[in-house]
Amino acid sequence: MDPPELTNFGSLVRFALELEAATAAFYREAARRIGSGEAAGAARELAEEHAARGVLLERTRQQKLNEMVLEPISGLDGSRYVFDASVASDTEIRPKALALEEVAALLYGESSVVAESLLTEAARTFRKLGEQNTENLARVRAAFPA
């Protein structure tokens, strides 16, 4: 994946939506591969959570950000948010889940700072999503075997 160009709010939200969709798909595939048990249940819950986060971002964009999508932003280095949501083997599930949650936490944490000066609502949403990713890291570590 090439690093995203995050030059305005529209590109930032578009990338965040892509990240949420890919992460939800990753967890659905992980749950399918695992089949049953605590890890499969956690993967299904995380898939639902990331899908719901995509809906939240879309709603935020439609209701709050329409006038801001072309507003320029700076300070976000897209190369820091490159992710791989593919699952080639069962042994990749845990490390890739951790990596996805870490990338999202970083993206939303840094985006909330950039958004703060332009739109408080977006900053609040990004901060909330980043906090959820930090919680998800603990969930992944607990639910998925090392």
Side-chain angles (χ1 to χ4, degrees):
M1 163 185 220
D2 292 329
E5 289 189 35
L6 305 174
T7 56
N8 59 47
F9 268 109
S11 61
L12 172 59
V13 174
R14 232 181 348 270
F15 179 72
L17 285 165
E18 180 183 321
L19 175 60
E20 294 300 337
T23 303
F26 168 84
Y27 282 121
R28 281 191 295 274
E29 175 62 14
R32 187 190 69 73
R33 285 175 181 245
I34 296 167
S36 62
E38 181 184 350
R44 281 190 288 279
E45 289 172 7
L46 287 163
E48 290 174 14
E49 177 185 305
H50 282 278
R53 290 159 52 110
V55 171
L56 172 66
L57 283 168
E58 187 61 47
R59 190 173 337 129
T60 300
R61 177 170 69 174
Q62 290 172 355
Q63 294 174 355
K64 312 274 191 219
L65 298 180
N66 270 342
E67 67 280 358
M68 299 295 292
V69 293
L70 297 179
E71 189 71 33
I73 59 173
S74 61
L76 296 177
D77 178 2
S79 67
R80 293 170 50 87
Y81 317 119
V82 173
F83 64 91
D84 176 8
S86 63
V87 181
S89 71
D90 292 353
T91 59
E92 289 181 323
I93 291 172
R94 185 177 197 266
K96 284 200 174 181
L98 291 170
L100 285 167
E101 297 296 344
E102 287 169 352
V103 163
L106 182 64
L107 172 70
Y108 293 125
E110 292 179 353
S111 297
S112 71
V113 173
V114 169
E116 193 72 50
S117 65
L118 296 170
L119 190 61
T120 305
E121 182 69 26
R124 192 175 10 255
T125 299
F126 291 151
R127 194 171 18 264
K128 176 185 170 190
L129 294 176
E131 290 166 0
Q132 287 176 346
N133 287 107
T134 300
E135 293 168 8
N136 287 349
L137 283 165
R139 287 177 69 189
V140 168
R141 286 186 180 105
F144 296 88

